[in-house]
Amino acid sequence: MSRLHTAPGSFRFRALATMMFAVMLTACSDNSTTNPDNSEAASVALSAGDQQQAASGAAVAEAPAVIVRDDSGDPMSGVLVTFSVTSGSGSVSGATPHTDASGIARVTSWTLGSSGEQKLEARVGTLNPVVFTATLAATSSESTVTV
């Protein structure tokens, strides 16, 4: 019987190379639920944080949030949502969150501007945006009447 001769350590090298290849395939596979191009998002809707009131320069009490769903109406996780102030010169923190496992994306905070209409918009890809509105609360100096 003929015996196959191999160089010492070659079996270990092949086993190691095979394991590394398997690890690389697993790391490169895309079986995650993230969807950076939002290609499957069918709808975006208001979830929380609309119709609030706060003083100029103050954050609203509840951070605005939207829910993103697919064609079947199921919540989608990992979808990028872009929030931006469109009226009122306020500011938003955490303006580009991804949806969580429940399909919800929420800003960190929305601080209202100094005057006028206050609006925040949430966009997902090319879907119609969701618009949040808030009103400025009267400050104590505005509500005091001097006679």
Side-chain angles (χ1 to χ4, degrees), residues 77-91:
S77 65
V79 177
L80 174 66
V81 179
T82 303
F83 289 84
S84 59
V85 173
T86 58
S87 182
S89 70
S91 63

Side-chain angles (χ1 to χ4, degrees), residues 112-126:
L112 301 186
S114 58
S115 64
E117 186 175 52
Q118 306 290 311
K119 288 190 177 187
L120 178 71
E121 183 177 272
R123 287 192 171 271
V124 175
T126 60

